[in-house]
Amino acid sequence: MVAKQHTKPDPHAFTVCYVRRSAHHRWLCCDITFSCPNQGLRQQWIQAISENLALLSHRPRCLLVYINPHGGRHLAKWIYDRKVAPLFCRAGISTDVIITERANHARDHLRAQHGDLKKYDGVVCVGGDGMVNEILHGLVSRTQTDHRVDQNQPDAHLVPCSLRIGIIPAGSTDCICYTTMGTNDPVTSALHIIVGDSQPMDVCSVHNNNTFLKYSVSLLGYGFYGDVLTDSEKKRWMGPLRYDLAGVKTFLSHNYYEGSIWFVPAQETQGQPRDQEQCLAGCHVCQQGSYSEKKKLKHLSEDEKFIKGSGSEWCVVRGKFLAVNAATVSCACPRSPRGLSPSAHLADGTADLILVRKCSRFGFFRHLLRHTNADDQFDHPFVEVHRVRRFLFQPKNQEVSDSTEDLSDSEMEKRVKTNAFRPICHASDDITAQSNWTCDGEILPHAAIQAAVSVMNSTTNARQKERQREK
Ligand SMILES: Nc1ncnc2c1ncn2[C@@H]1O[C@H](COP(=O)(O)OP(=O)(O)OP(=O)(O)O)[C@@H](O)[C@H]1O
């Protein structure tokens, strides 16, 4: 990783720091010391190694770091100072550090930067999923504004950001970090940043009534998870324990919500939500997914892209749901190591739409329990899962008067093209009878939403989990 002079005890020795893979996807920073017969040879080695390291242009030299001191167990600053900053220093990376003073501080700061971001090679987020989402939102919005992309168009083709986000986990769940790298270890994250790893990610843009709301990279959840989040926010002072308490309370209240979900199945993708395949390094589903998306859209006009992506294949499901979840990635975390949708992919341009219909408390408990063990959580009569490219949720009290279920394909296309969903996505002021959506662990106070997934290159400083050798 870096060569440095070694003065004691051997004046002709030098030390090289390198990355060693450890169990459970962790990386360690190790040292190896070489002894030279004389000072001249030592200098030659140090110079040669330093020159070769300087040629690695994908490695960052200057980073912008945001630390959320209030995330998780309030340890973000300590984690950064003790575990991460020394590694950046050894790797010769300079940093500008901003400790956030309020929610959305980082997002607003990034949005306000114009040319100032050019001096950085990346942005580092020290916090949890909410903080990652905030930074992603700021960076992606900044990029779209710079390229005059209208984010209020649900079908807008997003321009990838030139800066990658490095995630140092210091939150309560750290699902985004755990899902991409297979661990929530700050040292591992720091080392991925230092070696300049780059991982494309699926980014889901969320709209309401053709107004852009947020980007999501992990979970969009309505019903159970929306309620857990809403309740847990009131108990933030409890730290990560708030999720347990809110989870039990929400489970006991057993609320269900009525509505309709329209979705476009991802027919061309190679993977399926229940194929037991994991998204690992060199994943062929992600490679095929991003390739076919580019190929499919390359020669089409903007209107054609929208129709192609949303027109003829809409399906609809209506009913009473305990939970409606859209997992853009597996959403694995230490409590649920396989995640909400174990076979979801990091960058195939799809989300797994999981619909949990009204069922008994015991049935729902069995479904939830399966998130923590190896059993198939979709193997229940009241659960269905679809791999989708876009979807639209409409709560019962905001539904259109005429049914779109019986429309012919061409009529449906016409409606989509002329924004026929606009009236049915009308936001209501009265949300008391409805749940909220949770978007990467933050509350979205809307029930009716439109969501579309696209692959965004070089989003994070991570790499897909590698297959671990059985011990
Ligand atoms: N200085 C601050 N004071 C209060 N809130 C902040 C501050 N800085 C950031 N925030 C907000 O805190 C929210 C939660 O932070 P974060 O995601 O880091 O922790 P968490 O919610 O405990 O972890 P997780 O999202 O993994 O469950 C974010 O939405 C962010 O906008």
Side-chain angles (χ1 to χ4, degrees), residues 67-73 99-105 126-132 134 170-175 233 236 242-243 440-442:
I67 301 177
N68 173 8
H70 290 277
R73 294 187 172 84
I99 299 182
T100 59
E101 289 162 8
R102 57 177 172 84
N104 294 326
H105 180 171
V126 190
D129 294 333
M131 194 61 190
V132 177
E134 194 184 302
S172 306
T173 328
D174 299 320
C175 155
E233 278 306 301
R236 195 160 258 286
R242 69 190 186 275
Y243 290 126
D440 295 353
E442 299 305 305

Side-chain angles (χ1 to χ4, degrees), residues 137-156:
H137 190 88
L139 213 48
V140 176
S141 288
R142 172 79 260 150
T143 307
Q144 308 320 306
T145 310
D146 288 347
H147 290 83
R148 296 176 198 284
V149 174
D150 181 2
Q151 294 176 87
N152 288 324
Q153 295 298 321
D155 55 317

Side-chain angles (χ1 to χ4, degrees), residues 82-99:
R82 295 289 291 270
K83 300 191 172 194
V84 178
L87 289 174
F88 284 173
C89 182
R90 284 177 99 174
I93 297 173
S94 64
T95 51
D96 286 337
V97 178
I98 295 176
I99 299 182

